Amino acid sequence: MSDSSPTEPAPTEGSATSGVTVGSNSNSDSQGTDDITATSPVSDSNDSTPKTDVGKQPDFGVPTCGGGMGGDDPDFSYIWIANSAQNTISKIDTQTLVELGRYMVRPDGAGNPSRTSVNLSGDVVTASREGGFTKFHARIEDCVESNGIPGIQTAVDANFLPWDQEECRAWHTPMAYASQRPAAWTQGTFNQGTCTYTNQKVWTSGNNVPEDGSVDVLLVNGDTGAIEATIPINGINPDFYGIYGAAVDKNGNFWGSQLSQGWLVFIDLQTLQSKQWPMATSGYGMTVDSKGYVWTCSSNAARFDPMTEQWQVVPAGGSGGCMEDGAGTLYMSGGGGDIVALDTVTMAVKQNFPVPQYVHGISIDFYGYVWGVSMGSQAYRVDPKDGTLQTFEGLVGAYTYSDMTGFALSNVGTPSG
């Protein structure tokens, strides 16, 4: 399976017909293991060392006063899925499987979104393949009056509002890249007094025109959308896609991988220094697990230890995205109509869960359900306890394999001390 190519037909647009107004009475029209050692990691001219506690159980950083997500009884649990062919993203309740909002990602109605990333407050940012970064609030009480109409106008179902009417969009930052894929939030800092997260930042990456041969990683202010740092990544073959997938570790450091067998890239959140290592096998999806290991996922599963800078690789029959459940199981998109469950310690395949069709993106919600997102109109919710399955219908050219629930960010933990 491959991502959208530069020659794909232009996505079609949907319509905007309904929404909700809050604060007024009127309504207005988101299994042996091969050891491969990276003996010569390539580094930019710095001595930055990944600060990941491999082997240590994570501090999930779940606020005791409730911060929206995480814990045994989250305030809410949404999955945000990109409707790439419609240039929108959908907000779906993971318990009821009801769509609670759909949103345009760029003011021109285009963009071709493909990644969503959810922060520990529950808000989402989406990256558009054709360039652009957009944040939406999860809770209507966080939305801000901006269109001059009394109350808050926002989508409440699959009928998205015109760009200038939608008021749960926090910000949009235009970015002019030939290809922009990754999106990954940092944890930020939890304020026990106000019961909110502050200083949340979000990573993305863009590939300049292919002839330029350069890739940027950007650190963006999560409150304003302002670009705080641009880090050029040299010494890798950028191809068309640049850095393809991204996730963070418990310290909010950036980890990004390339499509196929390219490079694994690390950037320290504090120093902005980078390091990179050749990938051990072809990869598509990627994630960081609760013990700090970095995974790339495709037909093989590859686990990178940041402390030893060594890879372990095992055939797994996968294809697309992957995510770990915090309890030692990595769920991967299978090569056909299945989801593969892999033991993160032994790297043995434990189980295959059948689904009606190929699912490209994999995510876990805060109730432990495993989600598989098709490349069409369906998303499937699987209960890993018994394999029972429920289906959400109504997506439009779906494509998402990043941290679309926020569970992966919660799963890696937060800095100790």
Side-chain angles (χ1 to χ4, degrees), residues 3 114-115 127 179-184 203-205 215 217 241-248 254-260 263-266 279 283-288 294-297 320-321 399 401-403:
D3 196 359
S114 69
R115 310 289 192 272
S179 171
Q180 183 179 349
R181 261 62 180 182
W203 297 98
T204 189
S205 179
V215 174
V217 175
Y241 301 104
I243 295 176
Y244 202 66
V248 301
F254 174 91
W255 291 91
S257 64
Q258 291 192 276
L259 182 64
S260 301
W263 294 84
L264 180 68
V265 175
F266 166 86
M279 291 167 59
Y284 203 110
M286 69 89 62
T287 193
V288 176
V294 183
W295 295 79
T296 64
C297 306
Y399 185 105
Y401 79 82
S402 45
D403 185 13

mmCIF file of all heavy atoms in Angstrom, residues 3 114-115 127 179-184 203-205 215 217 241-248 254-260 263-266 279 283-288 294-297 320-321 399 401-403:
data_model
loop_
_atom_site.group_PDB
_atom_site.id
_atom_site.type_symbol
_atom_site.label_atom_id
_atom_site.label_comp_id
_atom_site.label_asym_id
_atom_site.label_seq_id
_atom_site.Cartn_x
_atom_site.Cartn_y
_atom_site.Cartn_z
ATOM 1 N N ASP A 3 0.931 5.730 -0.027
ATOM 2 C CA ASP A 3 0.201 6.951 0.244
ATOM 3 C C ASP A 3 -0.160 7.608 -1.078
ATOM 4 O O ASP A 3 0.266 7.188 -2.143
ATOM 5 C CB ASP A 3 1.110 7.850 1.082
ATOM 6 C CG ASP A 3 0.351 8.970 1.758
ATOM 7 O OD1 ASP A 3 -0.864 9.050 1.559
ATOM 8 O OD2 ASP A 3 0.990 9.732 2.480
ATOM 9 N N SER A 114 -3.927 13.984 5.686
ATOM 10 C CA SER A 114 -3.625 12.559 5.842
ATOM 11 C C SER A 114 -3.196 12.166 7.239
ATOM 12 O O SER A 114 -3.104 10.990 7.534
ATOM 13 C CB SER A 114 -2.531 12.136 4.855
ATOM 14 O OG SER A 114 -1.290 12.721 5.219
ATOM 15 N N ARG A 115 -2.859 13.108 8.105
ATOM 16 C CA ARG A 115 -2.441 12.770 9.460
ATOM 17 C C ARG A 115 -3.226 13.626 10.449
ATOM 18 O O ARG A 115 -3.454 14.814 10.215
ATOM 19 C CB ARG A 115 -0.940 13.034 9.678
ATOM 20 C CG ARG A 115 -0.009 12.442 8.638
ATOM 21 C CD ARG A 115 0.082 10.929 8.725
ATOM 22 N NE ARG A 115 1.190 10.429 7.917
ATOM 23 C CZ ARG A 115 1.116 10.110 6.620
ATOM 24 N NH1 ARG A 115 -0.032 10.283 5.976
ATOM 25 N NH2 ARG A 115 2.169 9.651 5.970
ATOM 26 N N ALA A 127 -2.329 17.637 9.476
ATOM 27 C CA ALA A 127 -1.385 18.068 8.447
ATOM 28 C C ALA A 127 -1.960 17.719 7.084
ATOM 29 O O ALA A 127 -2.508 16.633 6.890
ATOM 30 C CB ALA A 127 -0.027 17.390 8.638
ATOM 31 N N SER A 179 5.395 18.280 -0.010
ATOM 32 C CA SER A 179 4.784 17.169 0.704
ATOM 33 C C SER A 179 4.907 17.437 2.199
ATOM 34 O O SER A 179 6.000 17.697 2.705
ATOM 35 C CB SER A 179 5.494 15.849 0.363
ATOM 36 O OG SER A 179 5.036 14.802 1.203
ATOM 37 N N GLN A 180 3.775 17.416 2.905
ATOM 38 C CA GLN A 180 3.774 17.587 4.359
ATOM 39 C C GLN A 180 2.939 16.467 4.964
ATOM 40 O O GLN A 180 1.720 16.438 4.808
ATOM 41 C CB GLN A 180 3.216 18.957 4.755
ATOM 42 C CG GLN A 180 3.267 19.212 6.258
ATOM 43 C CD GLN A 180 2.725 20.580 6.634
ATOM 44 O OE1 GLN A 180 2.489 21.430 5.776
ATOM 45 N NE2 GLN A 180 2.508 20.800 7.915
ATOM 46 N N ARG A 181 3.588 15.551 5.660
ATOM 47 C CA ARG A 181 2.886 14.403 6.222
ATOM 48 C C ARG A 181 2.760 14.420 7.745
ATOM 49 O O ARG A 181 1.676 14.450 8.280
ATOM 50 C CB ARG A 181 3.575 13.097 5.772
ATOM 51 C CG ARG A 181 2.937 12.375 4.602
ATOM 52 C CD ARG A 181 2.914 13.158 3.330
ATOM 53 N NE ARG A 181 2.283 12.388 2.266
ATOM 54 C CZ ARG A 181 2.146 12.794 1.017
ATOM 55 N NH1 ARG A 181 2.627 13.968 0.668
ATOM 56 N NH2 ARG A 181 1.553 12.054 0.103
ATOM 57 N N PRO A 182 3.870 14.412 8.505
ATOM 58 C CA PRO A 182 3.777 14.084 9.926
ATOM 59 C C PRO A 182 3.093 15.152 10.775
ATOM 60 O O PRO A 182 3.087 16.342 10.448
ATOM 61 C CB PRO A 182 5.243 13.932 10.351
ATOM 62 C CG PRO A 182 6.015 13.780 9.089
ATOM 63 C CD PRO A 182 5.252 14.541 8.063
ATOM 64 N N ALA A 183 2.543 14.699 11.903
ATOM 65 C CA ALA A 183 2.017 15.571 12.949
ATOM 66 C C ALA A 183 2.143 14.817 14.264
ATOM 67 O O ALA A 183 1.731 13.664 14.353
ATOM 68 C CB ALA A 183 0.563 15.939 12.682
ATOM 69 N N ALA A 184 2.725 15.444 15.281
ATOM 70 C CA ALA A 184 2.884 14.785 16.578
ATOM 71 C C ALA A 184 2.977 15.827 17.683
ATOM 72 O O ALA A 184 3.887 16.655 17.690
ATOM 73 C CB ALA A 184 4.133 13.899 16.590
ATOM 74 N N TRP A 203 4.878 18.961 16.529
ATOM 75 C CA TRP A 203 5.879 18.790 15.477
ATOM 76 C C TRP A 203 5.190 18.518 14.131
ATOM 77 O O TRP A 203 4.159 17.851 14.070
ATOM 78 C CB TRP A 203 6.764 17.598 15.777
ATOM 79 C CG TRP A 203 7.607 17.651 17.013
ATOM 80 C CD1 TRP A 203 7.328 17.090 18.235
ATOM 81 C CD2 TRP A 203 8.905 18.254 17.144
ATOM 82 N NE1 TRP A 203 8.350 17.313 19.109
ATOM 83 C CE2 TRP A 203 9.341 18.029 18.478
ATOM 84 C CE3 TRP A 203 9.732 18.960 16.271
ATOM 85 C CZ2 TRP A 203 10.569 18.476 18.954
ATOM 86 C CZ3 TRP A 203 10.957 19.413 16.742
ATOM 87 C CH2 TRP A 203 11.368 19.176 18.064
ATOM 88 N N THR A 204 5.807 18.974 13.081
ATOM 89 C CA THR A 204 5.438 18.553 11.738
ATOM 90 C C THR A 204 6.695 18.576 10.881
ATOM 91 O O THR A 204 7.769 18.975 11.332
ATOM 92 C CB THR A 204 4.322 19.432 11.135
ATOM 93 O OG1 THR A 204 3.859 18.858 9.899
ATOM 94 C CG2 THR A 204 4.798 20.841 10.877
ATOM 95 N N SER A 205 6.579 18.111 9.666
ATOM 96 C CA SER A 205 7.720 18.088 8.761
ATOM 97 C C SER A 205 7.241 18.284 7.338
ATOM 98 O O SER A 205 6.167 17.802 6.960
ATOM 99 C CB SER A 205 8.474 16.760 8.874
ATOM 100 O OG SER A 205 9.571 16.719 7.973
ATOM 101 N N VAL A 215 14.731 18.645 3.666
ATOM 102 C CA VAL A 215 13.586 18.355 4.516
ATOM 103 C C VAL A 215 13.664 19.246 5.746
ATOM 104 O O VAL A 215 14.737 19.415 6.337
ATOM 105 C CB VAL A 215 13.581 16.876 4.940
ATOM 106 C CG1 VAL A 215 12.468 16.597 5.942
ATOM 107 C CG2 VAL A 215 13.427 15.966 3.725
ATOM 108 N N VAL A 217 12.006 19.930 9.659
ATOM 109 C CA VAL A 217 11.137 19.581 10.775
ATOM 110 C C VAL A 217 10.806 20.876 11.492
ATOM 111 O O VAL A 217 11.689 21.700 11.743
ATOM 112 C CB VAL A 217 11.794 18.571 11.728
ATOM 113 C CG1 VAL A 217 10.911 18.325 12.945
ATOM 114 C CG2 VAL A 217 12.068 17.259 11.009
ATOM 115 N N TYR A 241 8.484 12.341 -0.418
ATOM 116 C CA TYR A 241 7.695 12.419 0.805
ATOM 117 C C TYR A 241 8.440 13.022 1.989
ATOM 118 O O TYR A 241 7.821 13.449 2.954
ATOM 119 C CB TYR A 241 7.192 11.026 1.183
ATOM 120 C CG TYR A 241 6.353 10.387 0.113
ATOM 121 C CD1 TYR A 241 6.870 9.385 -0.705
ATOM 122 C CD2 TYR A 241 5.046 10.806 -0.106
ATOM 123 C CE1 TYR A 241 6.099 8.803 -1.704
ATOM 124 C CE2 TYR A 241 4.272 10.238 -1.103
ATOM 125 C CZ TYR A 241 4.807 9.234 -1.898
ATOM 126 O OH TYR A 241 4.041 8.674 -2.883
ATOM 127 N N GLY A 242 9.757 13.033 1.965
ATOM 128 C CA GLY A 242 10.506 13.543 3.107
ATOM 129 C C GLY A 242 10.374 12.610 4.291
ATOM 130 O O GLY A 242 10.529 11.396 4.181
ATOM 131 N N ILE A 243 10.080 13.164 5.469
ATOM 132 C CA ILE A 243 9.775 12.340 6.643
ATOM 133 C C ILE A 243 8.300 11.997 6.590
ATOM 134 O O ILE A 243 7.448 12.858 6.393
ATOM 135 C CB ILE A 243 10.146 13.079 7.940
ATOM 136 C CG1 ILE A 243 11.663 13.280 7.987
ATOM 137 C CG2 ILE A 243 9.672 12.297 9.161
ATOM 138 C CD1 ILE A 243 12.146 14.078 9.176
ATOM 139 N N TYR A 244 8.000 10.718 6.792
ATOM 140 C CA TYR A 244 6.669 10.212 6.478
ATOM 141 C C TYR A 244 5.763 10.097 7.699
ATOM 142 O O TYR A 244 4.591 10.424 7.650
ATOM 143 C CB TYR A 244 6.812 8.864 5.792
ATOM 144 C CG TYR A 244 5.621 8.464 4.970
ATOM 145 C CD1 TYR A 244 5.284 9.181 3.825
ATOM 146 C CD2 TYR A 244 4.839 7.381 5.337
ATOM 147 C CE1 TYR A 244 4.193 8.826 3.063
ATOM 148 C CE2 TYR A 244 3.747 7.016 4.581
ATOM 149 C CZ TYR A 244 3.419 7.733 3.450
ATOM 150 O OH TYR A 244 2.342 7.389 2.693
ATOM 151 N N GLY A 245 6.306 9.585 8.800
ATOM 152 C CA GLY A 245 5.527 9.432 10.027
ATOM 153 C C GLY A 245 6.312 9.964 11.198
ATOM 154 O O GLY A 245 7.546 10.038 11.163
ATOM 155 N N ALA A 246 5.593 10.352 12.270
ATOM 156 C CA ALA A 246 6.279 10.916 13.433
ATOM 157 C C ALA A 246 5.530 10.582 14.705
ATOM 158 O O ALA A 246 4.310 10.369 14.706
ATOM 159 C CB ALA A 246 6.430 12.430 13.294
ATOM 160 N N ALA A 247 6.286 10.542 15.812
ATOM 161 C CA ALA A 247 5.742 10.361 17.151
ATOM 162 C C ALA A 247 6.729 10.973 18.126
ATOM 163 O O ALA A 247 7.850 11.336 17.753
ATOM 164 C CB ALA A 247 5.528 8.878 17.457
ATOM 165 N N VAL A 248 6.327 11.105 19.380
ATOM 166 C CA VAL A 248 7.233 11.634 20.392
ATOM 167 C C VAL A 248 7.478 10.589 21.471
ATOM 168 O O VAL A 248 6.699 9.647 21.638
ATOM 169 C CB VAL A 248 6.695 12.930 21.049
ATOM 170 C CG1 VAL A 248 6.470 14.010 20.007
ATOM 171 C CG2 VAL A 248 5.438 12.663 21.864
ATOM 172 N N PHE A 254 11.163 14.502 19.145
ATOM 173 C CA PHE A 254 10.632 14.081 17.847
ATOM 174 C C PHE A 254 11.333 12.817 17.363
ATOM 175 O O PHE A 254 12.569 12.710 17.404
ATOM 176 C CB PHE A 254 10.859 15.208 16.837
ATOM 177 C CG PHE A 254 10.502 14.879 15.411
ATOM 178 C CD1 PHE A 254 9.230 15.133 14.931
ATOM 179 C CD2 PHE A 254 11.444 14.333 14.535
ATOM 180 C CE1 PHE A 254 8.900 14.853 13.608
ATOM 181 C CE2 PHE A 254 11.124 14.060 13.222
ATOM 182 C CZ PHE A 254 9.846 14.317 12.755
ATOM 183 N N TRP A 255 10.541 11.856 16.902
ATOM 184 C CA TRP A 255 11.041 10.696 16.169
ATOM 185 C C TRP A 255 10.281 10.618 14.853
ATOM 186 O O TRP A 255 9.049 10.615 14.851
ATOM 187 C CB TRP A 255 10.835 9.401 16.961
ATOM 188 C CG TRP A 255 11.699 9.298 18.183
ATOM 189 C CD1 TRP A 255 11.395 9.703 19.456
ATOM 190 C CD2 TRP A 255 13.028 8.758 18.244
ATOM 191 N NE1 TRP A 255 12.435 9.442 20.305
ATOM 192 C CE2 TRP A 255 13.456 8.868 19.585
ATOM 193 C CE3 TRP A 255 13.883 8.200 17.304
ATOM 194 C CZ2 TRP A 255 14.713 8.433 20.006
ATOM 195 C CZ3 TRP A 255 15.131 7.766 17.725
ATOM 196 C CH2 TRP A 255 15.541 7.881 19.054
ATOM 197 N N GLY A 256 10.993 10.582 13.752
ATOM 198 C CA GLY A 256 10.357 10.496 12.447
ATOM 199 C C GLY A 256 11.003 9.434 11.588
ATOM 200 O O GLY A 256 12.217 9.196 11.682
ATOM 201 N N SER A 257 10.220 8.790 10.767
ATOM 202 C CA SER A 257 10.751 7.765 9.866
ATOM 203 C C SER A 257 10.345 8.086 8.444
ATOM 204 O O SER A 257 9.378 8.804 8.196
ATOM 205 C CB SER A 257 10.248 6.373 10.257
ATOM 206 O OG SER A 257 8.833 6.293 10.121
ATOM 207 N N GLN A 258 11.102 7.511 7.515
ATOM 208 C CA GLN A 258 10.802 7.710 6.103
ATOM 209 C C GLN A 258 10.035 6.525 5.534
ATOM 210 O O GLN A 258 10.048 5.425 6.102
ATOM 211 C CB GLN A 258 12.103 7.911 5.325
ATOM 212 C CG GLN A 258 12.793 9.223 5.642
ATOM 213 C CD GLN A 258 13.897 9.516 4.643
ATOM 214 O OE1 GLN A 258 15.011 9.034 4.778
ATOM 215 N NE2 GLN A 258 13.576 10.311 3.619
ATOM 216 N N LEU A 259 9.390 6.764 4.422
ATOM 217 C CA LEU A 259 8.716 5.701 3.701
ATOM 218 C C LEU A 259 9.753 4.749 3.112
ATOM 219 O O LEU A 259 10.818 5.179 2.666
ATOM 220 C CB LEU A 259 7.863 6.300 2.587
ATOM 221 C CG LEU A 259 7.039 5.336 1.741
ATOM 222 C CD1 LEU A 259 5.997 4.626 2.579
ATOM 223 C CD2 LEU A 259 6.363 6.095 0.598
ATOM 224 N N SER A 260 9.433 3.447 3.131
ATOM 225 C CA SER A 260 10.346 2.396 2.674
ATOM 226 C C SER A 260 11.568 2.359 3.591
ATOM 227 O O SER A 260 11.447 2.631 4.776
ATOM 228 C CB SER A 260 10.727 2.594 1.204
ATOM 229 O OG SER A 260 9.552 2.575 0.400
ATOM 230 N N TRP A 263 15.552 6.652 6.601
ATOM 231 C CA TRP A 263 16.242 7.030 7.826
ATOM 232 C C TRP A 263 15.260 7.242 8.970
ATOM 233 O O TRP A 263 14.121 7.673 8.765
ATOM 234 C CB TRP A 263 17.035 8.324 7.602
ATOM 235 C CG TRP A 263 18.166 8.165 6.637
ATOM 236 C CD1 TRP A 263 18.093 8.227 5.264
ATOM 237 C CD2 TRP A 263 19.528 7.885 6.949
ATOM 238 N NE1 TRP A 263 19.324 8.011 4.719
ATOM 239 C CE2 TRP A 263 20.234 7.809 5.733
ATOM 240 C CE3 TRP A 263 20.230 7.718 8.137
ATOM 241 C CZ2 TRP A 263 21.596 7.557 5.660
ATOM 242 C CZ3 TRP A 263 21.586 7.475 8.091
ATOM 243 C CH2 TRP A 263 22.266 7.393 6.858
ATOM 244 N N LEU A 264 15.732 6.954 10.173
ATOM 245 C CA LEU A 264 15.038 7.288 11.406
ATOM 246 C C LEU A 264 15.691 8.555 11.948
ATOM 247 O O LEU A 264 16.916 8.616 12.111
ATOM 248 C CB LEU A 264 15.158 6.154 12.426
ATOM 249 C CG LEU A 264 14.483 6.369 13.782
ATOM 250 C CD1 LEU A 264 12.958 6.377 13.624
ATOM 251 C CD2 LEU A 264 14.909 5.275 14.768
ATOM 252 N N VAL A 265 14.874 9.568 12.243
ATOM 253 C CA VAL A 265 15.385 10.886 12.620
ATOM 254 C C VAL A 265 14.909 11.226 14.032
ATOM 255 O O VAL A 265 13.737 11.032 14.366
ATOM 256 C CB VAL A 265 14.911 11.967 11.627
ATOM 257 C CG1 VAL A 265 15.335 13.360 12.080
ATOM 258 C CG2 VAL A 265 15.444 11.672 10.223
ATOM 259 N N PHE A 266 15.820 11.739 14.849
ATOM 260 C CA PHE A 266 15.539 12.164 16.213
ATOM 261 C C PHE A 266 15.879 13.644 16.366
ATOM 262 O O PHE A 266 16.905 14.112 15.862
ATOM 263 C CB PHE A 266 16.392 11.356 17.198
ATOM 264 C CG PHE A 266 16.432 11.924 18.600
ATOM 265 C CD1 PHE A 266 15.450 11.600 19.521
ATOM 266 C CD2 PHE A 266 17.463 12.775 18.990
ATOM 267 C CE1 PHE A 266 15.488 12.124 20.808
ATOM 268 C CE2 PHE A 266 17.507 13.308 20.273
ATOM 269 C CZ PHE A 266 16.518 12.974 21.184
ATOM 270 N N MET A 279 17.355 3.092 8.678
ATOM 271 C CA MET A 279 16.322 2.123 9.056
ATOM 272 C C MET A 279 16.786 0.717 8.708
ATOM 273 O O MET A 279 17.511 0.513 7.731
ATOM 274 C CB MET A 279 15.005 2.465 8.366
ATOM 275 C CG MET A 279 14.366 3.749 8.886
ATOM 276 S SD MET A 279 13.015 4.391 7.837
ATOM 277 C CE MET A 279 11.869 2.997 7.842
ATOM 278 N N GLY A 283 9.756 0.412 6.033
ATOM 279 C CA GLY A 283 8.720 0.785 6.981
ATOM 280 C C GLY A 283 7.653 1.645 6.348
ATOM 281 O O GLY A 283 7.873 2.295 5.328
ATOM 282 N N TYR A 284 6.495 1.648 6.965
ATOM 283 C CA TYR A 284 5.401 2.530 6.556
ATOM 284 C C TYR A 284 4.901 3.296 7.778
ATOM 285 O O TYR A 284 5.163 4.471 7.939
ATOM 286 C CB TYR A 284 4.266 1.722 5.908
ATOM 287 C CG TYR A 284 3.401 2.556 5.004
ATOM 288 C CD1 TYR A 284 3.419 2.383 3.630
ATOM 289 C CD2 TYR A 284 2.587 3.550 5.519
ATOM 290 C CE1 TYR A 284 2.638 3.174 2.791
ATOM 291 C CE2 TYR A 284 1.802 4.350 4.696
ATOM 292 C CZ TYR A 284 1.827 4.153 3.338
ATOM 293 O OH TYR A 284 1.066 4.946 2.508
ATOM 294 N N GLY A 285 4.178 2.601 8.670
ATOM 295 C CA GLY A 285 3.755 3.234 9.907
ATOM 296 C C GLY A 285 4.888 3.291 10.910
ATOM 297 O O GLY A 285 5.925 2.644 10.754
ATOM 298 N N MET A 286 4.694 4.093 11.967
ATOM 299 C CA MET A 286 5.682 4.147 13.038
ATOM 300 C C MET A 286 5.003 4.601 14.323
ATOM 301 O O MET A 286 3.963 5.253 14.307
ATOM 302 C CB MET A 286 6.856 5.058 12.668
ATOM 303 C CG MET A 286 6.570 6.527 12.580
ATOM 304 S SD MET A 286 6.783 7.394 14.167
ATOM 305 C CE MET A 286 8.517 7.116 14.465
ATOM 306 N N THR A 287 5.639 4.240 15.457
ATOM 307 C CA THR A 287 5.118 4.639 16.758
ATOM 308 C C THR A 287 6.226 4.532 17.789
ATOM 309 O O THR A 287 7.265 3.911 17.534
ATOM 310 C CB THR A 287 3.906 3.764 17.158
ATOM 311 O OG1 THR A 287 3.234 4.341 18.276
ATOM 312 C CG2 THR A 287 4.330 2.338 17.497
ATOM 313 N N VAL A 288 6.020 5.156 18.951
ATOM 314 C CA VAL A 288 6.881 4.965 20.116
ATOM 315 C C VAL A 288 6.043 4.276 21.177
ATOM 316 O O VAL A 288 4.898 4.688 21.431
ATOM 317 C CB VAL A 288 7.429 6.308 20.633
ATOM 318 C CG1 VAL A 288 8.256 6.101 21.902
ATOM 319 C CG2 VAL A 288 8.265 6.994 19.562
ATOM 320 N N VAL A 294 11.206 2.620 19.678
ATOM 321 C CA VAL A 294 10.642 3.196 18.461
ATOM 322 C C VAL A 294 10.404 2.066 17.468
ATOM 323 O O VAL A 294 11.292 1.237 17.231
ATOM 324 C CB VAL A 294 11.597 4.245 17.853
ATOM 325 C CG1 VAL A 294 10.965 4.899 16.628
ATOM 326 C CG2 VAL A 294 11.965 5.303 18.894
ATOM 327 N N TRP A 295 9.215 2.023 16.892
ATOM 328 C CA TRP A 295 8.835 0.951 15.962
ATOM 329 C C TRP A 295 8.577 1.523 14.574
ATOM 330 O O TRP A 295 7.980 2.596 14.438
ATOM 331 C CB TRP A 295 7.566 0.257 16.434
ATOM 332 C CG TRP A 295 7.689 -0.488 17.718
ATOM 333 C CD1 TRP A 295 7.676 0.032 18.991
ATOM 334 C CD2 TRP A 295 7.850 -1.906 17.876
ATOM 335 N NE1 TRP A 295 7.810 -0.972 19.920
ATOM 336 C CE2 TRP A 295 7.919 -2.167 19.262
ATOM 337 C CE3 TRP A 295 7.935 -2.962 16.978
ATOM 338 C CZ2 TRP A 295 8.066 -3.452 19.776
ATOM 339 C CZ3 TRP A 295 8.077 -4.256 17.478
ATOM 340 C CH2 TRP A 295 8.154 -4.495 18.865
ATOM 341 N N THR A 296 9.025 0.791 13.554
ATOM 342 C CA THR A 296 8.544 1.012 12.199
ATOM 343 C C THR A 296 7.813 -0.249 11.765
ATOM 344 O O THR A 296 8.207 -1.360 12.120
ATOM 345 C CB THR A 296 9.678 1.338 11.212
ATOM 346 O OG1 THR A 296 10.560 0.213 11.100
ATOM 347 C CG2 THR A 296 10.447 2.566 11.664
ATOM 348 N N CYS A 297 6.743 -0.068 11.022
ATOM 349 C CA CYS A 297 5.841 -1.180 10.736
ATOM 350 C C CYS A 297 5.515 -1.251 9.258
ATOM 351 O O CYS A 297 5.124 -0.257 8.646
ATOM 352 C CB CYS A 297 4.538 -1.020 11.515
ATOM 353 S SG CYS A 297 4.775 -0.810 13.294
ATOM 354 N N GLY A 320 0.520 -1.321 7.171
ATOM 355 C CA GLY A 320 0.366 0.119 7.353
ATOM 356 C C GLY A 320 0.775 0.600 8.722
ATOM 357 O O GLY A 320 1.917 0.469 9.140
ATOM 358 N N GLY A 321 -0.186 1.160 9.468
ATOM 359 C CA GLY A 321 0.095 1.789 10.745
ATOM 360 C C GLY A 321 0.204 0.816 11.895
ATOM 361 O O GLY A 321 -0.100 -0.379 11.773
ATOM 362 N N TYR A 399 -8.095 8.275 5.243
ATOM 363 C CA TYR A 399 -6.676 7.920 5.312
ATOM 364 C C TYR A 399 -6.092 8.566 6.561
ATOM 365 O O TYR A 399 -5.916 9.789 6.613
ATOM 366 C CB TYR A 399 -5.905 8.412 4.084
ATOM 367 C CG TYR A 399 -4.466 7.954 4.064
ATOM 368 C CD1 TYR A 399 -4.053 6.924 3.214
ATOM 369 C CD2 TYR A 399 -3.525 8.532 4.907
ATOM 370 C CE1 TYR A 399 -2.737 6.496 3.216
ATOM 371 C CE2 TYR A 399 -2.208 8.110 4.916
ATOM 372 C CZ TYR A 399 -1.823 7.098 4.070
ATOM 373 O OH TYR A 399 -0.521 6.670 4.070
ATOM 374 N N TYR A 401 -3.130 7.254 9.747
ATOM 375 C CA TYR A 401 -2.493 6.196 10.530
ATOM 376 C C TYR A 401 -1.620 6.746 11.649
ATOM 377 O O TYR A 401 -0.814 6.045 12.224
ATOM 378 C CB TYR A 401 -1.698 5.222 9.635
ATOM 379 C CG TYR A 401 -0.339 5.691 9.183
ATOM 380 C CD1 TYR A 401 0.774 5.572 10.006
ATOM 381 C CD2 TYR A 401 -0.150 6.233 7.924
ATOM 382 C CE1 TYR A 401 2.028 5.988 9.591
ATOM 383 C CE2 TYR A 401 1.091 6.648 7.502
ATOM 384 C CZ TYR A 401 2.173 6.514 8.339
ATOM 385 O OH TYR A 401 3.404 6.931 7.922
ATOM 386 N N SER A 402 -1.829 8.002 12.006
ATOM 387 C CA SER A 402 -1.072 8.627 13.083
ATOM 388 C C SER A 402 -1.836 8.476 14.406
ATOM 389 O O SER A 402 -2.752 7.664 14.511
ATOM 390 C CB SER A 402 -0.841 10.090 12.721
ATOM 391 O OG SER A 402 -2.035 10.658 12.224
ATOM 392 N N ASP A 403 -1.478 9.275 15.418
ATOM 393 C CA ASP A 403 -2.096 9.155 16.742
ATOM 394 C C ASP A 403 -3.431 9.875 16.749
ATOM 395 O O ASP A 403 -3.576 10.971 17.289
ATOM 396 C CB ASP A 403 -1.151 9.718 17.805
ATOM 397 C CG ASP A 403 -1.685 9.523 19.224
ATOM 398 O OD1 ASP A 403 -2.644 8.741 19.404
ATOM 399 O OD2 ASP A 403 -1.136 10.161 20.148
#
